[in-house]
Amino acid sequence: MELRTLKYFIALVREGNITNAAKALHVTQPTLSRQLATLEQELGVQLYTRGHKTISLTEQGNVLYRYAESIVGLAEKCEEEISLPEHTMAGAVHIGVGETKLVAMLAQAMERTRREYPNIMFELSAGNSADLMDGLNKGHYDFLLECEVRPHVNLNVLKLPIKDQWGLIVRRDSPLAKLDAVGPAEFVTTPIIMSQQGVGSARMKDWLGDCYDDLVVSATYNLPHVGKFLVREGLGAMMTYGGLFDEKRSDDLRFVPLSPMIESTQGVVWRKVTPSKPAQAFLAELQRLCDETR
Protein backbone atom coordinates (compact mmCIF):
# COMPACT_ATOMS: atom_id res chain seq x y z
CA MET A 1 0.00 0.00 0.00
CA GLU A 2 1.34 3.41 -0.95
CA LEU A 3 0.82 6.45 1.23
CA ARG A 4 -0.70 8.30 -1.70
CA THR A 5 -3.31 5.57 -2.19
CA LEU A 6 -4.21 5.66 1.48
CA LYS A 7 -4.68 9.43 1.22
CA TYR A 8 -7.00 8.84 -1.74
CA PHE A 9 -9.02 6.35 0.30
CA ILE A 10 -9.28 8.74 3.26
CA ALA A 11 -10.48 11.52 0.93
CA LEU A 12 -13.15 9.21 -0.49
CA VAL A 13 -14.48 8.40 2.98
CA ARG A 14 -14.47 12.02 4.11
CA GLU A 15 -16.01 13.44 0.94
CA GLY A 16 -18.58 10.64 0.61
CA ASN A 17 -18.31 9.97 -3.12
CA ILE A 18 -15.82 9.70 -6.00
CA THR A 19 -16.78 13.02 -7.59
CA ASN A 20 -16.17 15.16 -4.49
CA ALA A 21 -13.05 13.22 -3.51
CA ALA A 22 -11.52 13.72 -6.97
CA LYS A 23 -12.17 17.47 -6.74
CA ALA A 24 -10.62 17.65 -3.26
CA LEU A 25 -7.55 15.75 -4.44
CA HIS A 26 -7.28 17.64 -7.77
CA VAL A 27 -7.24 14.41 -9.78
CA THR A 28 -9.62 13.06 -12.39
CA GLN A 29 -12.38 10.66 -11.43
CA PRO A 30 -11.00 7.84 -13.61
CA THR A 31 -7.57 8.23 -11.96
CA LEU A 32 -9.06 8.05 -8.48
CA SER A 33 -11.27 5.08 -9.37
CA ARG A 34 -8.26 3.21 -10.79
CA GLN A 35 -6.17 3.83 -7.68
CA LEU A 36 -8.95 2.63 -5.39
CA ALA A 37 -9.59 -0.44 -7.53
CA THR A 38 -5.87 -1.27 -7.34
CA LEU A 39 -5.99 -0.92 -3.56
CA GLU A 40 -8.89 -3.37 -3.35
CA GLN A 41 -7.03 -5.81 -5.61
CA GLU A 42 -3.90 -5.59 -3.44
CA LEU A 43 -5.90 -6.33 -0.30
CA GLY A 44 -8.19 -8.86 -1.94
CA VAL A 45 -11.33 -7.38 -0.38
CA GLN A 46 -14.12 -4.95 -1.28
CA LEU A 47 -13.67 -1.74 0.69
CA TYR A 48 -16.87 0.12 -0.19
CA THR A 49 -20.08 -0.04 -2.16
CA ARG A 50 -21.48 2.78 -4.29
CA GLY A 51 -24.93 4.14 -3.57
CA HIS A 52 -26.92 6.70 -5.54
CA LYS A 53 -25.02 9.71 -4.18
CA THR A 54 -22.63 8.32 -1.62
CA ILE A 55 -20.43 5.34 -0.81
CA SER A 56 -20.81 2.93 2.12
CA LEU A 57 -17.79 1.28 3.73
CA THR A 58 -17.73 -2.47 4.15
CA GLU A 59 -16.49 -3.96 7.42
CA GLN A 60 -13.01 -4.29 5.89
CA GLY A 61 -13.23 -0.70 4.64
CA ASN A 62 -13.90 0.57 8.16
CA VAL A 63 -10.86 -1.31 9.45
CA LEU A 64 -8.64 0.14 6.72
CA TYR A 65 -9.96 3.68 7.30
CA ARG A 66 -9.06 3.46 10.98
CA TYR A 67 -5.50 2.35 10.23
CA ALA A 68 -5.10 4.66 7.24
CA GLU A 69 -5.82 7.73 9.37
CA SER A 70 -3.16 6.65 11.86
CA ILE A 71 -0.58 5.80 9.20
CA VAL A 72 -1.04 8.98 7.18
CA GLY A 73 -1.19 11.13 10.32
CA LEU A 74 2.11 9.71 11.61
CA ALA A 75 3.75 10.10 8.21
CA GLU A 76 2.74 13.76 8.02
CA LYS A 77 3.95 14.35 11.58
CA CYS A 78 7.28 12.72 10.71
CA GLU A 79 7.70 14.79 7.54
CA GLU A 80 6.90 17.96 9.46
CA GLU A 81 9.52 17.20 12.10
CA ILE A 82 12.44 16.11 9.92
CA SER A 83 11.95 18.81 7.28
CA LEU A 84 12.84 21.60 9.70
CA PRO A 85 16.36 23.04 9.50
CA GLU A 86 18.62 21.72 12.25
CA HIS A 87 18.68 24.89 14.36
CA THR A 88 15.13 26.06 13.67
CA MET A 89 12.76 26.09 16.63
CA ALA A 90 9.42 25.78 14.87
CA GLY A 91 6.64 23.30 14.30
CA ALA A 92 3.63 21.88 16.11
CA VAL A 93 3.31 20.37 19.57
CA HIS A 94 0.42 17.88 19.70
CA ILE A 95 -1.35 17.54 23.06
CA GLY A 96 -4.30 15.40 24.12
CA VAL A 97 -6.20 16.99 27.02
CA GLY A 98 -8.82 15.77 29.43
CA GLU A 99 -11.30 18.35 30.69
CA THR A 100 -9.89 19.88 33.85
CA LYS A 101 -9.15 23.41 35.07
CA LEU A 102 -5.45 22.48 34.84
CA VAL A 103 -5.63 23.06 31.09
CA ALA A 104 -5.07 26.66 32.21
CA MET A 105 -1.60 25.68 33.49
CA LEU A 106 -0.77 24.12 30.13
CA ALA A 107 -2.00 27.30 28.45
CA GLN A 108 0.41 29.35 30.58
CA ALA A 109 3.29 27.11 29.53
CA MET A 110 2.19 27.38 25.88
CA GLU A 111 2.11 31.18 26.08
CA ARG A 112 5.59 31.29 27.62
CA THR A 113 6.90 28.92 24.95
CA ARG A 114 5.46 31.00 22.11
CA ARG A 115 6.80 34.20 23.67
CA GLU A 116 10.29 32.69 23.38
CA TYR A 117 9.70 30.78 20.13
CA PRO A 118 6.85 32.41 18.13
CA ASN A 119 7.09 29.82 15.33
CA ILE A 120 5.93 27.02 17.61
CA MET A 121 2.20 26.26 17.48
CA PHE A 122 0.02 23.90 19.51
CA GLU A 123 -2.59 21.40 18.34
CA LEU A 124 -4.95 20.25 21.10
CA SER A 125 -7.38 17.33 21.03
CA ALA A 126 -9.94 17.08 23.85
CA GLY A 127 -11.39 13.83 25.15
CA ASN A 128 -11.34 11.53 28.13
CA SER A 129 -7.98 10.13 29.19
CA ALA A 130 -8.79 6.53 28.26
CA ASP A 131 -9.62 7.44 24.66
CA LEU A 132 -6.63 9.77 24.28
CA MET A 133 -4.11 7.29 25.72
CA ASP A 134 -4.39 5.16 22.58
CA GLY A 135 -3.43 8.16 20.45
CA LEU A 136 -0.45 8.90 22.69
CA ASN A 137 0.81 5.32 22.46
CA LYS A 138 0.47 5.42 18.67
CA GLY A 139 2.48 8.64 18.46
CA HIS A 140 -0.32 11.00 17.48
CA TYR A 141 0.30 13.21 20.54
CA ASP A 142 3.52 14.47 22.08
CA PHE A 143 1.86 14.80 25.48
CA LEU A 144 -1.32 13.78 27.25
CA LEU A 145 -2.89 15.67 30.15
CA GLU A 146 -4.14 12.62 32.03
CA CYS A 147 -6.92 13.01 34.57
CA GLU A 148 -6.48 10.75 37.62
CA VAL A 149 -2.83 10.34 36.61
CA ARG A 150 -1.22 7.04 37.56
CA PRO A 151 2.26 5.51 37.31
CA HIS A 152 3.18 4.17 33.86
CA VAL A 153 6.02 1.74 33.22
CA ASN A 154 6.48 2.86 29.61
CA LEU A 155 5.72 6.58 29.99
CA ASN A 156 7.28 9.60 31.65
CA VAL A 157 4.98 11.30 34.18
CA LEU A 158 4.96 14.90 35.44
CA LYS A 159 2.41 15.38 38.24
CA LEU A 160 0.84 18.82 38.26
CA PRO A 161 0.92 20.70 41.58
CA ILE A 162 -2.78 21.67 41.76
CA LYS A 163 -5.54 19.16 42.47
CA ASP A 164 -9.09 19.03 41.18
CA GLN A 165 -11.95 18.81 43.66
CA TRP A 166 -15.04 16.74 42.91
CA GLY A 167 -18.56 18.00 43.41
CA LEU A 168 -22.00 18.28 41.85
CA ILE A 169 -23.23 20.73 39.25
CA VAL A 170 -26.86 21.35 40.24
CA ARG A 171 -29.63 23.67 39.16
CA ARG A 172 -30.06 26.64 41.46
CA ASP A 173 -33.65 25.59 42.13
CA SER A 174 -32.45 22.22 43.48
CA PRO A 175 -32.49 21.65 47.27
CA LEU A 176 -28.82 20.62 46.95
CA ALA A 177 -27.93 24.13 45.74
CA LYS A 178 -28.65 25.47 49.23
CA LEU A 179 -25.98 23.25 50.82
CA ASP A 180 -22.34 24.18 51.44
CA ALA A 181 -21.30 20.60 50.65
CA VAL A 182 -22.96 17.32 49.65
CA GLY A 183 -22.45 14.15 51.69
CA PRO A 184 -23.35 10.59 50.68
CA ALA A 185 -26.84 10.80 52.21
CA GLU A 186 -27.71 13.93 50.19
CA PHE A 187 -25.91 12.64 47.09
CA VAL A 188 -28.39 9.80 46.60
CA THR A 189 -31.49 12.00 46.90
CA THR A 190 -31.34 12.92 43.21
CA PRO A 191 -30.48 11.12 39.94
CA ILE A 192 -26.78 11.52 39.10
CA ILE A 193 -25.16 12.29 35.74
CA MET A 194 -21.73 10.70 35.95
CA SER A 195 -18.64 10.17 33.80
CA GLN A 196 -18.55 6.82 32.04
CA GLN A 197 -15.38 5.76 33.84
CA GLY A 198 -16.78 6.84 37.22
CA VAL A 199 -19.77 4.48 37.20
CA GLY A 200 -19.07 1.56 39.50
CA SER A 201 -15.56 2.76 40.43
CA ALA A 202 -14.11 1.51 43.72
CA ARG A 203 -13.44 5.08 44.83
CA MET A 204 -17.09 6.02 44.36
CA LYS A 205 -18.27 2.92 46.22
CA ASP A 206 -15.94 3.67 49.13
CA TRP A 207 -17.12 7.28 49.38
CA LEU A 208 -20.83 6.38 49.26
CA GLY A 209 -20.47 3.46 51.68
CA ASP A 210 -23.87 2.13 52.75
CA CYS A 211 -25.60 4.66 50.47
CA TYR A 212 -24.19 3.10 47.30
CA ASP A 213 -27.19 0.82 46.77
CA ASP A 214 -29.44 3.90 46.66
CA LEU A 215 -27.47 5.55 43.88
CA VAL A 216 -29.48 6.24 40.70
CA VAL A 217 -27.48 7.09 37.57
CA SER A 218 -29.71 8.87 35.05
CA ALA A 219 -27.05 9.38 32.36
CA THR A 220 -23.33 9.11 31.70
CA TYR A 221 -21.10 11.52 29.81
CA ASN A 222 -17.79 11.43 28.00
CA LEU A 223 -17.01 15.15 28.37
CA PRO A 224 -18.67 17.24 31.12
CA HIS A 225 -19.50 20.19 28.88
CA VAL A 226 -22.12 17.93 27.30
CA GLY A 227 -23.51 16.96 30.70
CA LYS A 228 -24.33 20.50 31.79
CA PHE A 229 -27.13 20.64 29.22
CA LEU A 230 -28.66 17.55 30.84
CA VAL A 231 -28.55 19.27 34.23
CA ARG A 232 -30.33 22.31 32.84
CA GLU A 233 -33.12 20.11 31.49
CA GLY A 234 -33.67 18.48 34.88
CA LEU A 235 -32.16 15.05 34.19
CA GLY A 236 -30.21 15.15 37.44
CA ALA A 237 -27.10 16.55 39.13
CA MET A 238 -23.74 16.09 37.42
CA MET A 239 -20.69 14.84 39.26
CA THR A 240 -17.58 16.54 37.89
CA TYR A 241 -14.53 18.65 38.78
CA GLY A 242 -14.91 22.15 40.11
CA GLY A 243 -13.65 25.04 38.02
CA LEU A 244 -14.88 23.76 34.66
CA PHE A 245 -17.81 26.18 34.60
CA ASP A 246 -18.10 29.76 35.74
CA GLU A 247 -20.95 29.13 38.12
CA LYS A 248 -20.71 32.64 39.59
CA ARG A 249 -21.86 34.05 36.26
CA SER A 250 -24.44 31.34 35.71
CA ASP A 251 -28.01 32.18 36.64
CA ASP A 252 -29.14 28.56 36.70
CA LEU A 253 -26.22 26.34 37.79
CA ARG A 254 -24.13 25.97 40.93
CA PHE A 255 -21.16 23.78 41.93
CA VAL A 256 -21.44 22.13 45.35
CA PRO A 257 -18.33 20.24 46.60
CA LEU A 258 -18.48 16.76 48.08
CA SER A 259 -17.91 16.09 51.77
CA PRO A 260 -15.81 14.19 52.73
CA MET A 261 -13.71 15.83 50.03
CA ILE A 262 -12.59 13.85 46.96
CA GLU A 263 -9.59 15.26 45.10
CA SER A 264 -7.87 14.14 41.92
CA THR A 265 -4.24 14.49 40.92
CA GLN A 266 -3.66 15.25 37.25
CA GLY A 267 -0.46 14.93 35.28
CA VAL A 268 1.23 15.21 31.91
CA VAL A 269 2.57 11.99 30.42
CA TRP A 270 4.73 11.37 27.36
CA ARG A 271 6.50 8.47 25.69
CA LYS A 272 10.04 7.49 26.63
CA VAL A 273 11.50 8.73 23.36
CA THR A 274 13.29 12.01 22.73
CA PRO A 275 10.58 14.64 22.12
CA SER A 276 10.82 17.03 19.18
CA LYS A 277 12.59 20.32 19.86
CA PRO A 278 9.32 22.28 20.09
CA ALA A 279 7.95 19.64 22.50
CA GLN A 280 11.13 19.89 24.60
CA ALA A 281 10.77 23.67 24.76
CA PHE A 282 7.17 23.36 25.96
CA LEU A 283 8.07 20.69 28.52
CA ALA A 284 10.85 22.87 29.96
CA GLU A 285 8.41 25.76 30.43
CA LEU A 286 5.80 23.49 32.01
CA GLN A 287 8.35 22.06 34.46
CA ARG A 288 9.46 25.59 35.42
CA LEU A 289 5.83 26.60 35.96
CA CYS A 290 5.21 23.56 38.16
CA ASP A 291 8.29 24.42 40.27
CA GLU A 292 7.05 27.99 40.69
CA THR A 293 3.59 26.84 41.73
CA ARG A 294 4.65 24.26 44.31
Side-chain angles (χ1 to χ4, degrees):
M1 289 182 290
E2 295 184 2
L3 222 80
R4 181 185 60 181
T5 311
L6 291 179
K7 290 179 180 179
Y8 284 178
F9 179 66
I10 290 172
L12 172 68
V13 177
R14 291 178 177 172
E15 296 297 330
N17 58 53
I18 295 283
T19 302
N20 291 342
K23 288 179 181 177
L25 293 165
H26 304 292
V27 300
T28 65
Q29 292 184 47
T31 298
L32 179 56
S33 295
R34 263 196 318 273
Q35 292 290 330
L36 295 172
T38 300
L39 180 61
E40 289 185 318
Q41 290 170 8
E42 288 179 2
L43 296 173
V45 296
Q46 183 177 1
L47 297 173
Y48 63 95
T49 57
R50 291 196 190 198
H52 177 56
K53 292 184 178 180
T54 187
I55 60 103
S56 298
L57 291 182
T58 63
E59 183 178 348
Q60 292 88 348
N62 276 305
V63 172
L64 178 63
Y65 180 61
R66 189 170 68 248
Y67 280 102
E69 281 196 311
S70 296
I71 293 167
V72 171
L74 286 173
E76 290 175 347
K77 192 169 182 286
C78 177
E79 288 174 8
E80 172 189 286
E81 212 167 295
I82 66 176
S83 64
L84 293 172
E86 186 176 351
H87 301 293
T88 299
M89 187 63 82
V93 180
H94 305 264
I95 307 175
V97 294
E99 289 205 327
T100 160
K101 67 185 179 186
L102 290 173
V103 173
M105 178 171 279
L106 268 64
Q108 283 182 271
M110 291 176 202
E111 191 279 330
R112 290 186 181 189
T113 305
R114 277 187 48 79
R115 196 187 313 159
E116 184 73 18
Y117 305 107
N119 291 323
I120 292 177
M121 67 164 290
F122 294 90
E123 294 186 3
L124 274 64
S125 299
N128 66 43
S129 296
D131 292 340
L132 295 170
M133 184 60 72
D134 183 57
L136 178 72
N137 289 328
K138 289 180 178 177
H140 298 313
Y141 309 125
D142 298 299
F143 302 100
L144 167 62
L145 173 54
E146 183 181 28
C147 296
E148 310 284 346
V149 69
R150 55 190 176 83
H152 294 276
V153 174
N154 299 319
L155 297 173
N156 297 304
V157 177
L158 173 63
K159 288 186 178 180
L160 299 180
I162 301 171
K163 293 186 177 182
D164 274 311
Q165 184 178 6
W166 283 95
L168 290 178
I169 295 288
V170 300
R171 286 180 17 164
R172 287 191 181 271
D173 60 2
S174 165
L176 298 178
K178 300 178 176 63
L179 303 177
D180 293 327
V182 174
E186 295 83 18
F187 191 92
V188 295
T189 61
T190 188
I192 300 297
I193 302 162
M194 187 176 290
S195 68
Q196 293 165 0
Q197 58 267 40
V199 176
S201 69
R203 194 175 190 187
M204 196 70 237
K205 289 181 179 179
D206 289 343
W207 184 80
L208 282 170
D210 294 338
C211 295
Y212 181 76
D213 290 337
D214 298 321
L215 175 65
V216 175
V217 178
S218 60
T220 62
Y221 63 81
N222 182 29
L223 297 176
H225 273 84
V226 174
K228 70 179 180 181
F229 295 103
L230 307 184
V231 177
R232 285 198 171 106
E233 295 303 320
L235 203 65
M238 180 172 67
M239 185 178 174
T240 188
Y241 298 141
L244 290 181
F245 309 104
D246 190 355
E247 297 86 12
K248 292 181 180 179
R249 294 188 179 182
S250 174
D251 294 330
D252 59 344
L253 299 179
R254 184 184 172 220
F255 177 80
V256 186
L258 302 185
S259 178
M261 182 187 299
I262 299 181
E263 291 185 316
S264 291
T265 300
Q266 325 298 21
V268 171
V269 300
W270 66 100
R271 291 172 300 145
K272 290 186 176 180
V273 296
T274 303
S276 66
K277 289 180 180 178
Q280 290 179 47
F282 166 72
L283 182 59
E285 289 294 348
L286 182 60
Q287 288 173 322
R288 275 193 285 270
L289 187 57
C290 287
D291 291 339
E292 294 168 12
T293 308
R294 287 189 176 95

